[in-house]
Amino acid sequence: MIKRILKNQAIIFVILKYIAFGIQLINSLLIAKFLGFHYFGLYGFALMILQYLSYTNFGVYYSYSVMCADVSTKTGEQRIHITGSAITVLSISCLLLFIVYLGSYGFDLFPKYNFSEYSLWVVIIAVLQHFNNLFINIFRIHGKIGEINFYYLIVPLLQLIAVLFFRETALFYALLYANAGGSLLSLIFFFKGFPEELKKIRIPDFSMARIVIERGVWLLLYNLTFYGIILTARTIVSKFFSVEEFALFNFANSISNNVFLLLGTLNFLFYPKLINMISLKSDEQVIVFIEKIRKYYLTLTVLIVFISLLSLTILFYFLPQYTEAMRCLQILLLAQLIINNSYGYSTLMVQRGKELQMTFIAVITIVIIVIISLISLHFFKEINTVAIAVVLGVLLYNILVSYKGLQIINQYTSLADFLKRVFSITLFLPIICCIALFVINCNYYVSIIASMLFYLLLNIKELRHIMVGGLKILSVSVEITPNLDKESINE
């Protein structure tokens, strides 16, 4: 049994990813502790700018992932053309990024956060991450997990070393150096392990590059607006609050994101398989498949939320200076839960090429968040009001994406059926009970434990089947779709 597990690359990947997650979680706590409020605020701002810069890639690695998962060929000229074109387009985008940086050199951008002092390192990290993200998708499609494991481990390890030896100002720069150094080492590692069949790349196919950009731009807009939901909230807080208050919000956001990396690991492996499986099924089969996947994914999501809520008091015992961020963290965990509730339907829309519709939905969500945030800040200047605006915004996003997903495959029948599919009583009723207990000021531990026991009572059978079902899905190999030409990809 153990030998069988050790031979399964997917399981090894999950184990190592969770080790990296553990290191990253420890890093988050130690960084928050040893940087201090001011430098933790600067560090959060640097990460926020990095997230903005991550969208300067023309959507190359998004389109590569979707196109190659749909094409599903393990060899052949087409995949070589796609890969060569993706690398060429990404190289041009990185060159443009450096040109823009040089053009803005000397301007005092974001003086509140002293950005000009470390802006070069942020740009360097952004460029390295661009290429690493593309190579991650290339290697994932080809099943080369070892190089990906190295990437996910090296940066957290280097940052952990930095945390052990430096404090405040020195630690702030050491973290940037660790990120840049780890990203560079990963890039070298990717080059050394590049798939043999793709080493035939010579002259870029510019017609394919056009297809990569066209599909990528819409996927980029979708990802920009989707992740922009949380990014918008961070931007508002950075604008209207002090560096120290931004540090509190950034801490809450960082912890909530780290918590959901647990599920992100599984999604990383599932995603290409989901795209391929959906493309091979009829509409009736698709909805059955999506409901099955959602049941697994969301049951784990709610369990993680309850465990996280139960662990918060331990977290703030070690970091008492961040206690004021507790309520904000609870609200952002709820927002993450609601975002994850659109899982499956969002994947279906991407596979069917409906990125424009998803972008429009996300833009509406962002506008709602901005409006609610600005109105609430006029009356109550608290970071919690921004977090509440995020919850309301993502609730709308979840409803609209789920509705459009069902509509695409002609499975929307009635409002009652829609609510039953999207908001499972067995999953959301315990959450609603927990919120109600909070509202009436019931004891924190009593509220969490009672709601969690209620959840386990409703979902114990599902939890038993999740591991077996999840491993079965991971073990499904990607099927080959023959004779898929450029025109079919473009459609």
Side-chain angles (χ1 to χ4, degrees):
M1 181 66 179
I2 296 176
K3 289 182 178 179
R4 185 179 176 184
I5 291 175
L6 292 176
K7 289 181 179 179
N8 190 313
Q9 288 194 41
I11 295 177
I12 294 299
F13 172 81
V14 171
I15 292 173
L16 291 177
K17 190 68 168 66
Y18 282 163
I19 291 174
F21 160 77
I23 297 172
Q24 191 168 332
L25 182 59
I26 293 171
N27 285 346
S28 297
L29 302 180
L30 294 178
I31 288 170
K33 184 178 181 64
F34 295 131
L35 270 179
F37 275 127
H38 181 74
Y39 282 102
F40 189 66
L42 297 187
Y43 184 65
F45 186 78
L47 294 180
M48 187 179 77
I49 296 298
L50 267 176
Q51 189 171 351
Y52 275 112
L53 294 180
S54 69
Y55 302 122
T56 60
N57 57 75
F58 296 123
V60 168
Y61 32 88
Y62 302 130
S63 61
Y64 182 90
S65 181
V66 172
M67 289 171 65
C68 285
D70 253 348
V71 174
S72 304
T73 51
K74 296 186 182 299
T75 59
E77 290 298 315
Q78 192 170 44
R79 176 163 289 171
I80 294 173
H81 291 331
I82 295 173
T83 305
S85 301
I87 292 174
T88 301
V89 173
L90 190 61
S91 300
I92 294 172
S93 71
C94 290
L95 178 61
L96 291 175
L97 179 58
F98 265 116
I99 291 173
V100 171
Y101 168 75
L102 293 174
S104 64
Y105 186 78
F107 291 93
D108 189 14
L109 299 174
F110 314 114
K112 183 166 74 171
Y113 294 93
N114 303 326
F115 182 66
S116 59
E117 296 180 7
Y118 51 88
S119 57
L120 176 60
W121 286 104
V122 172
V123 173
I124 290 173
I125 293 170
V127 170
L128 292 172
Q129 287 181 349
H130 274 334
F131 283 103
N132 281 326
N133 285 329
L134 175 59
F135 291 148
I136 283 172
N137 282 284
I138 292 173
F139 279 59
R140 173 173 60 167
I141 295 294
H142 284 77
K144 293 173 69 65
I145 304 297
E147 291 81 358
I148 300 175
N149 284 332
F150 179 82
Y151 172 72
Y152 283 124
L153 280 170
I154 187 63
V155 173
L157 282 173
L158 290 177
Q159 289 190 329
L160 179 59
I161 294 172
V163 171
L164 295 177
F165 290 97
F166 301 99
R167 296 291 180 270
E168 296 189 345
T169 307
L171 176 58
F172 173 76
Y173 284 100
L175 290 171
L176 294 178
Y177 301 154
N179 198 326
S183 298
L184 179 59
L185 288 174
S186 297
L187 190 59
I188 295 171
F189 205 53
F190 279 128
F191 274 123
K192 289 186 64 177
F194 210 66
E196 285 295 327
E197 67 180 84
L198 299 182
K199 290 181 179 179
K200 301 174 184 177
I201 296 173
R202 291 294 181 269
I203 300 174
D205 185 332
F206 291 102
S207 61
M208 182 64 75
R210 178 183 59 81
I211 298 173
V212 169
I213 292 175
E214 287 177 355
R215 189 75 191 270
V217 167
W218 293 119
L219 286 166
L220 174 63
L221 288 173
Y222 155 62
N223 280 274
L224 173 60
T225 47
F226 175 77
Y227 291 108
I229 292 171
I230 299 296
L231 187 58
T232 299
R234 294 175 67 192
T235 304
I236 291 172
V237 174
S238 71
K239 173 67 176 179
F240 292 99
F241 293 87
S242 67
V243 175
E244 289 71 23
E245 287 172 312
F246 178 67
L248 289 172
F249 188 87
N250 184 64
F251 175 78
N253 180 70
S254 175
I255 296 299
S256 65
N257 282 339
N258 280 329
V259 165
F260 280 88
L261 282 176
L262 289 166
L263 288 169
T265 300
L266 297 177
N267 183 47
F268 178 86
L269 292 174
F270 282 149
Y271 189 73
K273 298 176 187 295
L274 291 181
I275 291 288
N276 183 258
M277 289 178 182
I278 290 173
S279 68
L280 299 175
K281 296 179 182 294
S282 66
D283 288 351
E284 292 74 17
Q285 292 173 322
V286 164
I287 190 60
V288 174
F289 176 69
I290 287 178
E291 290 301 322
K292 182 179 180 180
I293 293 298
R294 279 172 51 78
K295 187 180 293 184
Y296 291 154
Y297 193 81
L298 294 175
T299 302
L300 283 176
T301 299
V302 177
L303 179 61
I304 289 172
V305 167
F306 276 123
I307 294 174
S308 302
L309 289 172
L310 199 59
S311 305
L312 288 186
T313 50
I314 301 173
L315 169 68
F316 290 107
Y317 174 79
F318 289 102
L319 293 169
Q321 66 271 40
Y322 289 92
T323 303
E324 292 182 31
M326 184 171 186
R327 182 64 64 187
C328 183
L329 177 52
Q330 292 170 340
I331 297 170
L332 289 179
L333 284 173
L334 177 60
Q336 289 275 9
L337 171 62
I338 296 173
I339 288 177
N340 278 271
N341 192 45
S342 62
Y343 186 77
Y345 297 121
S346 57
T347 307
L348 170 63
M349 290 186 71
V350 170
Q351 192 276 329
R352 296 295 172 90
K354 303 298 182 181
E355 296 90 359
L356 180 58
Q357 291 185 18
M358 296 191 70
T359 300
F360 181 68
I361 292 171
V363 168
I364 293 175
T365 303
I366 290 174
V367 171
I368 293 296
I369 291 173
V370 171
I371 292 173
I372 295 175
S373 296
L374 294 179
I375 292 174
S376 61
L377 287 176
H378 180 73
F379 296 99
F380 312 99
K381 196 172 182 181
E382 296 182 0
I383 58 174
N384 292 340
T385 59
V386 179
I388 292 172
V390 171
V391 171
L392 296 175
V394 297
L395 181 60
L396 174 65
Y397 175 87
N398 175 49
I399 291 172
L400 292 177
V401 168
S402 302
Y403 168 73
K404 293 303 294 184
L406 288 170
Q407 193 181 54
I408 286 172
I409 53 176
N410 302 310
Q411 296 298 315
Y412 180 84
T413 55
S414 66
L415 178 61
D417 180 65
F418 171 77
L419 294 175
K420 183 179 178 181
R421 286 182 186 274
V422 177
F423 298 101
S424 170
I425 294 177
T426 58
L427 295 178
F428 281 89
L429 187 58
I431 292 290
I432 294 172
C433 290
C434 185
I435 294 172
L437 291 172
F438 282 156
V439 170
I440 64 175
N441 292 320
C442 186
N443 179 271
Y444 182 79
Y445 282 113
V446 172
S447 301
I448 300 298
I449 293 174
S451 301
M452 189 171 179
L453 289 175
F454 184 34
Y455 158 80
L456 292 173
L457 180 65
L458 293 176
N459 296 278
I460 190 67
K461 290 183 180 180
E462 291 300 332
L463 289 169
R464 290 175 180 172
H465 297 296
I466 281 175
M467 182 172 292
V468 175
L471 291 176
K472 184 178 179 180
I473 293 171
L474 280 175
S475 65
V476 175
S477 60
V478 177
E479 301 292 336
I480 296 178
T481 305
N483 301 324
L484 189 62
D485 56 17
K486 295 179 185 179
E487 284 72 21
S488 60
I489 294 175
N490 196 21
E491 294 174 359

